[in-house]
Amino acid sequence: MLAMILLLLMPIQSHSQTPGQQVYIGVTFYKVNPGKSEAYTNLVRSHAHRVVEQSVRNGDLLGWYFYQVLMSPEMENKYDYVVVTVSSKFNDLVDNPVSMKDRYAKAISGAREMNWESYNSKLLEFRSIVKYEVYAHRAGIDPKTPVSKYVQIDYMKPLPGKTAEYIKTEREIFYPIHQERIKLGALTDWGLYEKILPFTANSENDFVTANFFENLKSLLDPKYEEAFNYIPNNSNYIIMSERVDQVRKMVRSDIWKLIDHVDQSTIK
């Protein structure tokens, strides 16, 4: 399992949220320097984890998820790790009034502990930040689902003038299909997220969907058509697929593996 939260990243699984609560997700993409992956993940697990744990315990964050990128077609701005930070406080994901240095000092102190300067120096030595994005959670199946080992992130771009229709398609067509896929064992959870920041007129994607699963075999047998056939009063699967292609373009797809996480399920 993997991702390093703001101190970073995900799930993108919005666990620990309450019904009706708007959830936002900060996603930080990292490039690790050659030969530094093991040292970086160890540092995240031993120090970033504790900093985030206190933030979750204090109610400042809902969750933090550290992912390793197993596969991505992104080559121009390549990244190896992702940290997903889940919060109901949009402002804190954009301009947190409490500095990372102060959060570190509150969580980790003592003569035998690594001080902030040394910790930050190691982070700079091990990795660099590729980009940071903020998303709003728009749809999901079950926020109480246990955290999954893998997630497939599909980057979506609605066609011009088709944003509202695209969201409707995800909620009314794909949502019930994903529910059936869960019953068939191909999926554990699913979510739809809209990109809020940064805004650019030629953004690569405006939405992402997250397909959570426990076994990589789900990539070989996602059971879309089988799940669709279980839905009452459905139309032909091919017709449905063509309708989807008329409202959005799937830009690309990543596969992430969860390395570490902190949320209410891990707080003792």
Side-chain angles (χ1 to χ4, degrees), residues 182-250:
I182 290 174
K183 295 176 184 178
L184 293 168
L187 207 63
T188 56
D189 202 3
W190 171 88
L192 171 67
Y193 307 85
E194 180 178 6
K195 186 161 73 173
I196 305 298
L197 294 172
F199 172 79
T200 60
N202 59 346
S203 174
E204 175 199 43
N205 68 289
D206 300 320
F207 292 83
V208 299
T209 59
N211 294 272
F212 298 93
F213 52 95
E214 285 295 320
N215 194 316
L216 289 172
K217 289 182 179 179
S218 294
L219 296 172
L220 297 176
D221 185 17
K223 298 188 183 300
Y224 272 105
E225 186 168 1
E226 185 177 350
F228 185 79
N229 291 333
Y230 276 101
I231 298 174
N233 303 317
N234 61 19
S235 57
N236 183 276
Y237 182 78
I238 296 177
I239 295 175
M240 184 277 293
S241 300
E242 292 175 348
R243 174 184 168 185
V244 171
D245 291 338
Q246 292 171 3
V247 299
R248 64 93 172 116
K249 175 183 178 182
M250 190 172 83

Side-chain angles (χ1 to χ4, degrees), residues 46-64:
S46 63
H47 288 72
H49 181 106
R50 286 193 283 164
V51 175
V52 176
E53 191 171 53
Q54 185 176 74
S55 296
V56 173
R57 183 175 284 110
N58 294 342
D60 297 323
L61 289 175
L62 297 175
W64 170 88

Side-chain angles (χ1 to χ4, degrees), residues 25-153:
I25 295 94
V27 185
T28 308
F29 300 80
Y30 295 95
K31 176 64 179 177
V32 174
N33 295 328
K36 299 297 184 180
S37 292
E38 183 177 358
Y40 173 61
T41 56
N42 288 340
L43 185 64
V44 172
R45 285 167 161 165
S46 63
H47 288 72
H49 181 106
R50 286 193 283 164
V51 175
V52 176
E53 191 171 53
Q54 185 176 74
S55 296
V56 173
R57 183 175 284 110
N58 294 342
D60 297 323
L61 289 175
L62 297 175
W64 170 88
Y65 307 84
F66 180 46
Y67 292 91
Q68 180 183 16
V69 179
L70 297 183
M71 189 168 293
S72 174
E74 181 63 79
M75 296 303 296
E76 184 175 345
N77 296 306
K78 190 175 180 181
Y79 44 86
D80 307 305
Y81 291 85
V82 177
V83 169
V84 175
T85 306
V86 182
S87 177
S88 60
K89 303 174 182 179
F90 174 77
N91 289 359
D92 287 358
L93 293 179
V94 180
D95 184 20
N96 198 308
V98 182
S99 70
M100 186 57 67
K101 179 179 180 179
D102 289 342
R103 280 180 274 172
Y104 184 91
K106 289 180 179 179
I108 301 177
S109 61
R112 296 185 178 182
E113 296 284 6
M114 185 186 303
N115 61 32
W116 163 256
E117 287 72 20
S118 296
Y119 170 73
N120 191 49
S121 177
K122 285 185 176 294
L123 282 179
L124 295 175
E125 175 189 349
F126 295 160
R127 54 77 173 149
S128 58
I129 298 176
V130 175
K131 59 181 177 179
Y132 176 64
E133 299 175 339
V134 178
Y135 288 79
H137 180 261
R138 294 305 186 206
I141 294 179
D142 186 0
K144 295 181 180 180
T145 302
V147 179
S148 303
K149 185 175 183 180
Y150 301 103
V151 58
Q152 178 178 353
I153 304 295

